[in-house]
Amino acid sequence: MPADPRMLPDSDRVSPQQLHWCHANRQTRSRTKPLGEAVAKLAQSVSRAPSGDLAIFEAIRQMIDDPFRRMCRFGGVRSGEVIILVDPAHARYHSTLRTRWHLPLWEHLKRTCRGSTIRRIHFKPGTDGVAF
């Protein structure tokens, strides 16, 4: 028998107690799931979760009036900043829009979207985004 235990065959390095413990504590096949199933389940649960942008969009849409809908579009949320895009054709109303809607929208979003961090509301010219 070699003096170095690393040189022994695998079966000689494991005691009967260790084999008994491994057999008693092995995981059955019914408890393991393929990784693809776990990833698919996670992706499905994430896709069903409400988006922060969507919640903010819906909160704004519930509050605004028709002139706001005609002139503005939702530009998304970036780093806690809600972006409202004002149509350049109506750019002369930009400051009026901001003074009329900034504070009411801010207070409404703070009340209704508690899970989202909203640092500021930014009105800027643009035609991209989603119509309210």
Side-chain angles (χ1 to χ4, degrees):
M1 183 169 280
D4 188 4
R6 288 178 291 172
M7 302 301 286
L8 294 172
D10 287 337
S11 62
D12 291 340
R13 281 193 253 159
V14 181
S15 70
Q17 292 83 13
Q18 289 173 319
L19 286 175
H20 176 70
W21 185 92
C22 289
H23 181 71
N25 293 301
R26 73 173 193 254
Q27 193 172 24
T28 62
R29 288 189 186 273
S30 63
R31 289 185 52 195
T32 60
K33 293 187 173 116
L35 183 60
E37 273 183 40
V39 170
K41 186 176 180 181
L42 177 66
Q44 195 175 37
S45 68
V46 167
S47 68
R48 277 185 278 160
S51 168
D53 286 9
L54 182 59
I56 292 170
F57 174 79
E58 289 297 325
I60 294 172
R61 197 171 70 130
Q62 291 170 1
M63 186 181 174
I64 60 176
D65 59 1
D66 288 334
F68 189 96
R69 283 186 178 90
R70 281 194 301 272
M71 290 186 267
C72 300
R73 299 174 76 80
F74 182 67
V77 180
R78 290 181 194 93
S79 302
E81 180 181 63
V82 177
I83 299 170
I84 306 291
L85 301 171
V86 182
D87 188 357
H90 302 292
R92 63 186 168 153
Y93 299 113
H94 184 254
S95 62
T96 307
L97 260 170
R98 192 173 61 238
T99 55
R100 158 76 173 94
W101 285 102
H102 187 269
L103 188 59
L105 277 176
W106 174 263
E107 290 172 348
H108 180 69
L109 290 175
K110 286 290 184 183
R111 275 192 318 268
T112 58
C113 301
R114 292 189 184 270
S116 302
T117 303
I118 301 168
R119 291 185 175 84
R120 68 182 261 195
I121 298 174
H122 184 71
F123 288 87
K124 66 181 196 178
T127 56
D128 297 344
V130 180
F132 290 104

